């Protein structure tokens, strides 16, 4: 039987009844705090189809946190090919997160009927809770069903500490419903212990950092291209948009005067633009090779057009400098942690789209440089032609891309344990 505090708290949550929840939903749609077409998810209605097989559920406060878990999701799915991923968020965003490798839903209202409908439908095999607010209806229902649950980036926000002190028994019961509590730091662990978290459940693991699975490539192909490059200095412009092309070419024109063996690899965002780009550059007097023409970056080639889909990993494996294409144009699609994980220094413009936190971390650590125009891009590449500077920044990139790996590895182990339990 739950403590009196929790019973009271649950009762207060459920007093609204179905009519009250319907009114709340309508008000939310009217004032813009609920999604206009997906609001029914709050009541457990209109839920997406549950994928077959095992399902891992990740709960976030809002989609601003999504960047932190996408790499972890990639790791999960690399470990378990048949794993489905459900990501829930508490709050409605203007652009609800979407992705081919997970399903997004809005979390149910904190009331018995919506929570039951949600859990009956999804039947998750494990929960990663990444919200500093502990739902007093949803979480106990999860624990009652025996679903393994882990609180990630756990801490006690100052604004809720006074509220928690009024219901110490209730909070203790909820906190200890988690199988594991991954505290952000020592101070967070101490606060959690004050509110009754069992020492056996709390692990001071540090915050979950943005993770990435480095893009792969055919290593035999990589070695063959590297042999043709013969240790030439190389810089890569990955996923560039058309309006950036001239600035990149002008920068390269200056740089080859300083380093005549320097090769620029241009990977157009739209691969079918490669042949036209090669023709225009050749008309301007450049020596160009084009991947779609089955040409190689021979010693005389100045610009290589990498215009075959699915080969980004190959070029990132070969280039010690990567410019995030689109970031001085329409916006980049390059996750900077991918080249950084392969030892490539990252240069980027102001338009980083959904990867703000990753670019910020790399820049702060000295592993990436922000540029704003052709001139600053040219100077950044010129500086990185110094082997010592490039090596220093590549080491900083390695530090960033490996930090937080312990938390990620621990969660991968917890997921495997939960799925093994499911088989039993």
């Amino acid at each position: 039987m739950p403590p009196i505090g929790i019973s009271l708290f649950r009762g207060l949550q459920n007093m609204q009844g179905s009519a009250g929840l319907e009114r709340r939903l309508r008000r939310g749609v009217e004032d813009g705090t609920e999604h206009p077409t997906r609001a029914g998810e709050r009541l457990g209605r209109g839920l997406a189809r549950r994928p077959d097989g095992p399902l891992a559920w990740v709960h976030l406060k809002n989609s601003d946190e999504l960047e932190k878990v996408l790499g972890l999701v990639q790791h999960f799915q690399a470990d378990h090919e048949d794993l489905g991923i459900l990501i829930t968020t508490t709050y409605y965003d203007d652009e609800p997160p979407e992705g081919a490798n997970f399903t997004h839903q809005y979390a149910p209202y904190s009331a018995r009927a919506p929570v039951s409908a949600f859990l009956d439908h999804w039947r998750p095999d494990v929960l990663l809770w990444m919200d500093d607010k502990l739902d007093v209806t949803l979480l106990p229902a999860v624990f009652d069903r025996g679903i393994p649950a882990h609180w990630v980036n756990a801490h006690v926000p100052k604004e809720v500490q006074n509220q928690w002190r009024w219901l110490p028994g209730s909070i203790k019961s909820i906190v200890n419903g988690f199988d594991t509590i991954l505290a952000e730091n020592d101070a967070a662990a101490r606060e959690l212990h004050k509110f009754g978290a069992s020492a056996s459940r709390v692990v001071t693991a540090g915050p979950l950092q943005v993770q990435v699975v480095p893009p792969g490539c055919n290593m035999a192909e990589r070695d063959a291209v590297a042999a043709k490059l013969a240790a030439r200095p190389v810089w890569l412009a990955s996923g560039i948009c058309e309006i950036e092309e001239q600035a990149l070419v002008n920068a390269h024109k200056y740089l080859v005067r300083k380093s005549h063996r320097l090769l620029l690899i241009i990977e157009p965002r739209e691969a079918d633009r490669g042949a036209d780009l090669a023709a225009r550059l050749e008309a301007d007097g450049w020596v160009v090779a084009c991947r779609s023409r089955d040409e190689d970056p021979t010693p005389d080639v100045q610009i290589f057009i990498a215009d075959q889909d699915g080969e980004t990993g190959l070029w990132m494996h070969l280039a010690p400098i990567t410019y995030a294409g689109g970031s001085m144009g329409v916006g980049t699609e390059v996750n900077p942690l991918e080249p950084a994980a392969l030892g490539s220094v990252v240069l980027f413009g102001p338009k980083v789209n959904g990867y703000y936190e990753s670019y910020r971390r790399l820049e702060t650590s000295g592993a990436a440089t922000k540029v704003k125009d052709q001139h600053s891009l040219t100077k950044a590449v010129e500086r990185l032609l110094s082997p010592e500077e490039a090596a220093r920044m590549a080491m900083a990139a390695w530090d960033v891309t490996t930090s937080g790996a312990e938390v990620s590895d621990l969660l991968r182990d917890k997921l495997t344990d939960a799925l093994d339990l499911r088989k039993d």
Side-chain angles (χ1 to χ4, degrees):
M1 181 176 179
I4 293 175
I6 283 193
S7 298
L8 175 62
F9 220 13
R10 287 188 192 177
L12 291 172
Q13 292 285 334
N14 292 318
M15 278 176 62
Q16 299 176 77
S18 59
L21 292 173
E22 291 282 0
R23 287 194 297 272
R24 176 181 172 186
L25 194 66
R26 287 196 298 271
R27 286 197 303 270
V29 171
E30 290 168 0
D31 64 22
T33 58
E34 296 289 2
H35 194 282
T37 60
R38 294 175 55 191
E41 295 171 17
R42 297 294 198 197
L43 300 180
R45 298 196 301 247
L47 302 177
R49 187 188 72 82
R50 186 199 189 280
D52 297 330
L55 180 76
W57 169 25
V58 181
H59 174 74
L60 311 172
K61 181 180 293 186
N62 54 50
S63 61
D64 290 344
E65 302 293 313
L66 185 61
E67 187 182 353
K68 291 182 180 178
V69 301
L70 290 184
L72 183 64
V73 165
Q74 285 183 289
H75 281 302
F76 283 173
Q77 293 180 321
D79 295 340
H80 308 277
E81 291 184 359
D82 60 341
L83 181 68
I85 302 290
L86 169 68
I87 295 180
T88 57
T89 51
T90 301
Y91 297 109
Y92 160 56
D93 303 287
D94 290 335
E95 296 181 3
E98 296 178 359
N101 61 342
F102 67 86
T103 301
H104 171 259
Q105 297 271 224
Y106 290 107
Y109 283 145
S110 186
R112 185 176 294 111
V115 164
S116 295
F118 175 88
L119 293 176
D120 288 345
H121 176 80
W122 288 107
R123 306 184 313 281
D125 295 291
V126 64
L127 165 63
L128 303 185
W129 187 266
M130 296 183 62
D131 189 342
D132 54 25
K133 180 180 178 181
L134 301 182
D135 189 306
V136 300
T137 304
L138 179 58
L139 285 172
V142 168
F143 305 149
D144 289 346
R145 294 179 184 227
I147 300 168
H150 309 282
W151 187 7
V152 185
N153 293 352
H155 64 285
V156 186
K158 290 183 178 179
E159 60 269 21
V160 305
Q161 289 182 19
N162 287 334
Q163 300 171 20
W164 283 23
R165 290 188 179 97
W166 282 97
L167 295 168
S170 303
I171 295 302
K172 180 179 179 180
S173 177
I174 294 177
V175 167
N176 286 311
F178 289 102
D179 295 76
T180 314
I181 302 170
L182 303 181
E184 282 191 341
N185 48 45
D186 290 334
R190 288 193 295 270
E191 286 293 336
L192 288 160
H193 288 313
K194 285 181 184 178
F195 287 100
S198 168
S200 64
R201 298 179 190 274
V202 178
V203 178
T204 305
L208 175 67
Q209 301 283 9
V210 178
Q211 300 290 299
V212 69
V213 177
C217 70
N218 182 315
M219 292 308 292
E221 178 80 359
R222 183 259 174 217
D223 293 343
V225 176
K228 292 182 176 71
L229 292 175
R232 289 180 66 181
V234 175
W235 68 298
L236 167 67
S238 179
I240 69 166
C241 60
E242 192 169 358
I243 61 176
E244 296 174 298
E245 289 171 358
Q246 195 57 52
L248 288 160
V249 172
N250 289 345
H252 191 59
K253 185 175 183 179
Y254 172 86
L255 292 163
V256 293
R257 296 173 188 159
K258 303 283 185 176
S259 177
H260 68 279
R261 297 180 66 241
L262 180 65
L263 174 68
L264 168 60
I265 299 175
I266 294 179
E267 184 183 28
R269 183 175 299 191
E270 298 84 18
D272 57 6
R273 288 198 298 107
D276 289 342
L277 175 58
R280 284 192 281 112
L281 292 173
E282 288 167 335
D284 288 339
W286 290 96
V287 180
V288 179
C290 195
R291 183 73 163 172
S292 63
R293 300 191 307 219
D294 201 26
E295 296 169 341
D296 295 321
T298 53
D300 60 322
V301 170
Q302 297 169 304
I303 299 177
F304 183 78
I305 308 299
D307 57 345
Q308 294 280 28
D309 286 328
E311 293 190 333
T312 297
L314 172 62
W315 311 118
M316 286 184 178
H317 272 83
L318 290 164
I321 304 168
T322 298
Y323 166 72
S327 59
M328 290 195 301
V330 298
T332 190
E333 295 178 350
V334 176
N335 179 342
L337 296 180
E338 292 185 349
L342 297 171
S344 188
V345 176
V346 179
L347 306 177
F348 66 99
K351 298 180 182 179
V352 298
N353 290 351
Y355 296 108
Y356 171 80
E357 176 62 18
S358 295
Y359 281 100
R360 185 198 65 78
R361 282 178 62 207
L362 286 169
E363 184 182 20
T364 301
S365 69
T369 298
K370 187 173 184 178
V371 297
K372 61 181 180 179
D373 53 25
Q374 173 189 315
H375 176 73
S376 56
L377 173 65
T378 304
K379 292 303 180 183
V381 177
E382 183 178 18
R383 188 177 74 255
L384 289 168
L385 293 178
S386 161
E388 294 80 9
E389 179 67 8
R392 182 191 67 78
M393 293 185 72
M395 183 59 68
W398 173 256
D399 289 342
V400 169
T401 56
T402 55
S403 67
E406 297 85 355
V407 181
S408 176
D409 290 345
L410 178 59
L411 291 173
R412 291 166 74 178
D413 290 342
K414 296 294 184 184
L415 174 65
T416 298
D417 291 344
L419 297 185
D420 288 344
L421 187 65
R422 178 181 188 268
K423 294 174 185 175
D424 298 340

